[in-house]
Amino acid sequence: GVKINGGFPYAGYTGTQTGHCGIDYNPPTTAAATDYQSGRVIGCRIRQCVQGVFFGNYDSAGSTQGIVIDGNVFEDCWNHGVYTTLGEGTVINSNSFVDCQSPVDIDGTGCVVTGNSMYTTEPSTRTNSLQIIKARDAAGAVISNNSIVGVDASISIERVTGTTLKNNIVSGNRVHRTARSG
């Protein structure tokens, strides 16, 4: 239930910054550290960050398990609203994303992205009007009942590292592409 205003201006975003996060968690790299690999972000308002929430891997072996991101509002996140890597059982549910470039970018197994609202208030050439859900190297992901409205609004399941994409379900989503202006 925290409010975070990162104050990172769009004019300062060059497309390469990734370290300016509202909430950032780099999991331990040892298998014995499983007690510290889960997390919850619930009822927060996060705005003007490059990454709203990043549960990720700066190291080669860190992974997350049982992440829940629920009932949050993300505004003006220039790169991602939520970005998770090497996740297992990540749940991203009932969030609102306003003017975030890629509202949700996940990879891993058993991830669920459901009931989220993603839209842009100003269709323009700015990258934060794109509105894309990305599932990278996903297995067993469920992407359902989301509303995605914006320039290039889409759902993308991508093979990035050679992992076999399998058992992914995409259903009941509303995807509406709007016209680009400017």
Side-chain angles (χ1 to χ4, degrees):
V2 299
K3 292 181 180 179
I4 298 171
N5 185 348
F8 195 101
Y10 181 77
Y13 179 61
T14 65
T16 59
Q17 299 96 336
T18 57
H20 186 278
C21 305
I23 297 173
D24 182 14
Y25 176 66
N26 184 24
T29 59
T30 60
T34 57
D35 291 342
Y36 304 101
Q37 293 179 345
S38 65
R40 310 282 183 270
V41 178
I42 299 172
C44 298
R45 183 174 181 157
I46 300 171
R47 61 185 314 269
Q48 288 191 334
C49 295
V50 174
Q51 315 284 350
V53 170
F54 182 79
F55 278 92
N57 166 292
Y58 294 116
D59 310 299
S60 61
S63 65
T64 58
Q65 300 170 345
I67 300 298
V68 175
I69 300 170
D70 185 49
N72 302 286
V73 176
F74 297 89
E75 296 176 87
D76 292 326
C77 293
W78 311 128
N79 192 234
H80 299 97
V82 173
Y83 189 97
T84 66
T85 64
L86 298 178
E88 191 173 309
T90 300
V91 176
I92 301 169
N93 180 59
S94 298
N95 299 286
S96 176
F97 297 88
V98 181
D99 295 332
C100 297
Q101 177 183 356
S102 289
V104 174
D105 198 330
I106 59 170
D107 73 11
T109 59
C111 299
V112 177
V113 180
T114 186
N116 299 285
S117 172
M118 305 165 185
Y119 65 95
T120 184
T121 59
E122 54 175 291
S124 71
T125 57
R126 289 175 28 162
T127 59
N128 61 319
S129 66
L130 299 178
Q131 307 307 301
I132 300 169
I133 295 177
K134 292 182 184 176
R136 297 177 176 172
D137 295 330
V142 176
I143 301 172
S144 68
N145 302 317
N146 299 287
S147 178
I148 309 165
V149 178
V151 175
D152 297 329
S154 63
I155 297 170
S156 172
I157 298 178
E158 305 171 359
R159 182 176 175 202
V160 177
T161 65
T163 301
T164 301
L165 304 176
K166 60 183 176 183
N167 302 322
N168 296 301
I169 299 169
V170 177
S171 70
N173 298 287
R174 176 182 179 260
V175 179
H176 177 76
R177 288 185 171 204
T178 58
R180 185 178 299 271
S181 65

